[in-house]
Amino acid sequence: MPSAATSPRRPFPVRTALVVGAVVLLLALVPWVFGAFTVSTFTRALVFAVLAMSVNLLTGVAGMPTLGQAAYFGVGAYAGALVAIHWSDLGVLQLVLATLAGVVAALVTGPLAIRGRGVAFLMITLAIGEIGYSAAGRLDSVTGGTDGLSGIPPVVAVPGSGGLVNEGLIYYYVLVVAVVAYLAVAVLLRSPFGLTLRGLRDNEARLRAVGYRTDSYALAAYVYAGGLAALAGSLWASSQRFVAPGDLAFEVSALALLAVIVGGLGSMWGASLGALVVVFTQDYLGQLFSGHAPLLLGLLFVLAVYLLPKGIAGGPRQWRRMFGRRRTPDEEAVSPV
Amino acid sequence: MTGWLDAHLVSMVDGVAYGLLLFTLAVGLSLVFGMMDVLNLAHGTLYLAGAYTAYALSDGSWLGLLVALVVGLVVGLLGGGLLAAAVAPLQGRGHLDQAALTLGIAFIAAEVMVVIFGAQVLPTAPPAGLARSVSVLGHSYPLYRLVFILVAGLIAVMVYLAFERSSVGALVRATVADRDMVRAMGVDTRKVLFGVFAFGAVLAAVGGVLGAPIIAPGPGIDDRVLVLSLVVVVIGGLGSVRGALLGALLIGQVQTLGVALVPAFAPFLLFGAMLLVLVLRPQGLFAPGRA
């Protein structure tokens, strides 16, 4: 098999690292500035950002549009909750086991999903998501059926310390894990494997022609994304301390895709920002408009498609183009992180 | 064997009714994708709109049903026209944008319907004359479902004949197979595409009016119906009327007979059926040849 390492080695992205550091620092200030409700909204947004990154890895990077990531999010949420209830309240243990559960679920279902590409893939993942949803509602003995799983003990971040019940501390727990997940994806995208996934999106036939087993790469991307979605699910279980079939609903997958489209396909910071926009639209604007959040989210979908074809991440470049500045071909592609 | 058949007869007849309902939904989705290359994720919304129309206008009389059918037809035409016009500017921008746009429209429409009809499932009664049970081979069975099987079966036959035997159908099939060639022969393919979109939308909305007593309108029904239709399309093959019919009947049996026979595995049966077909024929059972 040819090595993808023939591509030139990229230098360490100093500027990107500085920006990421500054953003993390700003996010760390959130519990000092805002009240409990806003902090919990930020917590939900961060969890959702991890799920959006998972969707983006498949849809934006590898070019496989998915509407079923809520299934793996749900696997992770239930797995994390079950570990917490029956075995250990240690966060690391829950996260690792939930991620593993997501990886196994994606390994089992992935070979089916990757038989399709493009819209066929979207349809199959949609069906997988729906089956996950109905399974969660019916496997009463494991999932508690439609009642869901409650009584999840507070998560313990550091062994020996107490469980996290304070809104701000839960936020920090989620923030740390989300940043680690972000870095894990950033490293992946800069690796030869990440570059190959982009090749899968841009010209799969050519990639296959030069000897890549593209199905293996598609499956690997699917499994990686499944693990990431499950990690987000485990964070969800720890922060909400309640898991129900609704967490696997079609709407969750659809909103994660919306976050990616609003943020900009292929851009991880774009997807994270998109997640923030979606969650705050749900929590804040929805309240202002007497609870009609779905209406606003629908409008967001429509406007994003018409006005922001390349999402927020592609925005600056598009706006610059309007002023006629010449750009290098390298700038055309949305940056990886 | 006869005993087994007898015991599950009701489930199997239910499966036929369910399957024919799915056909009226899935065939439009399948043709619109096969021809226009548009994935319409608002397709379930059209069913829901039709079903709510039935709830609002069906007062148990025959006239009520007739009015509901006419209004459902108009709703389908308007909805299909709006959707076709909305996705038209996105030509050449890929499926994801179409999917996102139709999903957004579906979100908006669903919320509007929740505002109008409330957030509960609304059981919808068939016309009084059909709201009783009859005896079928010793089993009591709802008359409405039998009539529905008859009507939906008639629709299926008509769609099949129109598509496979008429000259308009030949044009539509030709457009599915090779749009550029049809255009080169001097046909305005955009009109054909628009027509198919409207046709599919009307079928979905009318399916909603007739199907309301079987799958009652309520929040989330649009998603469920959409997913079932997509599974039918994946199984039957994109752009194939025969595939949609066979896929729909198969899923109908899987859903009703499967739930009756192995209730514990019910959530996975749909997945299993799809898996089996995809392993054997990844392009679906009846995918038309693509140039």
Side-chain angles (χ1 to χ4, degrees), chain A residues 22-140:
Chain A
V23 170
V24 171
L25 215 66
L26 274 178
L27 283 173
L29 292 177
V30 162
W32 268 292
V33 181
F34 298 105
F37 179 74
T38 306
V39 172
S40 78
T41 301
F42 266 105
T43 303
R44 282 150 40 85
L46 283 176
V47 174
F48 204 60
V50 177
L51 180 63
M53 283 194 277
S54 155
V55 170
N56 196 21
L57 186 65
L58 278 178
T59 305
V61 177
M64 299 153 74
T66 172
L67 271 175
Q69 282 310 93
Y72 308 103
F73 181 76
V75 166
Y78 279 110
L82 288 169
V83 170
I85 292 170
H86 297 295
W87 191 24
S88 165
D89 46 14
L90 199 61
V92 181
L93 208 57
Q94 294 168 18
L95 291 169
V96 169
L97 289 175
T99 305
L100 276 177
V103 164
V104 170
L107 265 176
V108 173
T109 49
L112 171 65
I114 64 157
R115 288 191 77 97
R117 289 289 191 277
V119 174
F121 179 79
L122 187 115
M123 289 179 175
I124 299 167
T125 52
L126 203 159
I128 289 175
E130 192 62 16
I131 285 145
Y133 173 66
S134 63
R138 288 191 209 180
L139 298 175
D140 292 26

Side-chain angles (χ1 to χ4, degrees), chain A residues 59 65 67 112 115 119 122-124 126-128 130-131 134 138 250 254 261 265 292 294-295 298-299 301 305-306 309, chain B residues 33 39 41 86 90 93 95-96 100-101 103-104 107-108 111 115 223 227 230 234 266-268 271 274 278-279 282:
Chain A
T59 305
L67 271 175
L112 171 65
R115 288 191 77 97
V119 174
L122 187 115
M123 289 179 175
I124 299 167
L126 203 159
I128 289 175
E130 192 62 16
I131 285 145
S134 63
R138 288 191 209 180
F250 169 69
I261 289 171
L265 285 170
H292 297 312
L295 197 71
L299 281 173
F301 257 115
V305 171
Y306 283 131
Chain B
F33 184 77
L39 178 65
L41 291 180
L90 300 182
R93 283 222 347 231
H95 294 125
L96 193 59
L101 181 68
L103 203 55
F107 264 62
I108 296 170
E111 187 63 14
V115 170
D223 297 344
V227 167
L230 285 174
V234 168
F268 305 106
F271 189 69
M274 201 167 73
L278 280 170
V279 167

Side-chain angles (χ1 to χ4, degrees), chain B residues 236-274:
Chain B
L238 288 164
S240 160
V241 173
R242 232 182 317 171
L245 182 58
L246 239 90
L249 288 173
L250 183 72
I251 292 304
Q253 290 305 329
V254 165
Q255 284 288 82
T256 53
L257 203 57
V259 169
L261 291 177
V262 277
F265 291 103
F268 305 106
L269 284 176
L270 214 61
F271 189 69
M274 201 167 73

Side-chain angles (χ1 to χ4, degrees), chain A residues 262 269 273 307-325 327:
Chain A
V262 167
W269 69 261
L273 204 60
L307 303 179
L308 276 176
K310 294 204 185 309
I312 299 172
R317 275 187 195 87
Q318 285 189 309
W319 299 325
R320 229 178 286 153
R321 190 170 313 165
M322 286 178 201
F323 293 102
R325 196 181 76 92
R327 58 219 171 262

Side-chain angles (χ1 to χ4, degrees), chain A:
Chain A
M1 205 173 76
S3 159
T6 45
S7 56
R9 197 180 163 75
R10 299 205 225 168
F12 183 78
V14 178
R15 218 176 66 170
T16 313
L18 284 176
V19 172
V20 170
V23 170
V24 171
L25 215 66
L26 274 178
L27 283 173
L29 292 177
V30 162
W32 268 292
V33 181
F34 298 105
F37 179 74
T38 306
V39 172
S40 78
T41 301
F42 266 105
T43 303
R44 282 150 40 85
L46 283 176
V47 174
F48 204 60
V50 177
L51 180 63
M53 283 194 277
S54 155
V55 170
N56 196 21
L57 186 65
L58 278 178
T59 305
V61 177
M64 299 153 74
T66 172
L67 271 175
Q69 282 310 93
Y72 308 103
F73 181 76
V75 166
Y78 279 110
L82 288 169
V83 170
I85 292 170
H86 297 295
W87 191 24
S88 165
D89 46 14
L90 199 61
V92 181
L93 208 57
Q94 294 168 18
L95 291 169
V96 169
L97 289 175
T99 305
L100 276 177
V103 164
V104 170
L107 265 176
V108 173
T109 49
L112 171 65
I114 64 157
R115 288 191 77 97
R117 289 289 191 277
V119 174
F121 179 79
L122 187 115
M123 289 179 175
I124 299 167
T125 52
L126 203 159
I128 289 175
E130 192 62 16
I131 285 145
Y133 173 66
S134 63
R138 288 191 209 180
L139 298 175
D140 292 26
S141 53
V142 187
T143 63
T146 46
D147 293 339
L149 289 178
S150 53
I152 298 171
V155 64
V156 173
V158 183
S161 69
L164 305 179
V165 279
N166 174 287
E167 209 46 77
L169 292 178
I170 295 169
Y171 171 80
Y172 280 124
Y173 173 71
V174 172
L175 178 64
V176 168
V177 180
V179 169
V180 170
Y182 183 91
L183 293 177
V185 176
V187 168
L188 178 89
L189 290 186
R190 295 181 64 80
S191 72
F193 174 72
L195 295 175
T196 312
L197 291 188
R198 287 172 200 283
L200 199 63
R201 172 193 65 195
D202 295 333
N203 197 338
E204 182 173 353
R206 189 156 155 194
L207 210 56
R208 203 181 304 120
V210 294
Y212 282 88
R213 284 190 304 204
T214 52
D215 274 352
S216 313
Y217 279 92
L219 182 62
Y222 197 83
V223 170
Y224 199 104
L228 199 60
L231 178 80
S234 180
L235 281 180
W236 184 253
S238 302
S239 59
Q240 308 299 310
R241 293 178 56 196
F242 175 65
V243 183
D247 299 331
L248 283 78
F250 169 69
E251 209 186 51
V252 176
S253 296
L255 290 181
L257 187 65
L258 172 65
V260 171
I261 289 171
V262 167
L265 285 170
S267 158
M268 287 302 158
W269 69 261
S272 306
L273 204 60
L276 205 74
V277 170
V278 167
V279 171
F280 273 82
T281 303
Q282 240 175 347
D283 277 21
Y284 278 85
L285 294 179
Q287 277 188 339
L288 292 182
F289 289 86
S290 54
H292 297 312
L295 197 71
L296 295 170
L297 292 168
L299 281 173
L300 198 60
F301 257 115
V302 173
L303 290 177
V305 171
Y306 283 131
L307 303 179
L308 276 176
K310 294 204 185 309
I312 299 172
R317 275 187 195 87
Q318 285 189 309
W319 299 325
R320 229 178 286 153
R321 190 170 313 165
M322 286 178 201
F323 293 102
R325 196 181 76 92
R326 281 175 156 262
R327 58 219 171 262
T328 57
D330 190 45
E331 282 183 311
E332 284 288 281
V334 173
S335 87
V337 280

Side-chain angles (χ1 to χ4, degrees), chain B residues 10 15-16 30 64 91 103 128 157 159 166 177 182 185 208 221 244-245 251 280:
Chain B
V10 170
V16 173
S30 182
Q91 281 295 320
L103 203 55
V157 169
V159 170
S166 77
V182 174
M185 290 189 310
I221 294 299
L245 182 58
I251 292 304
L280 298 176

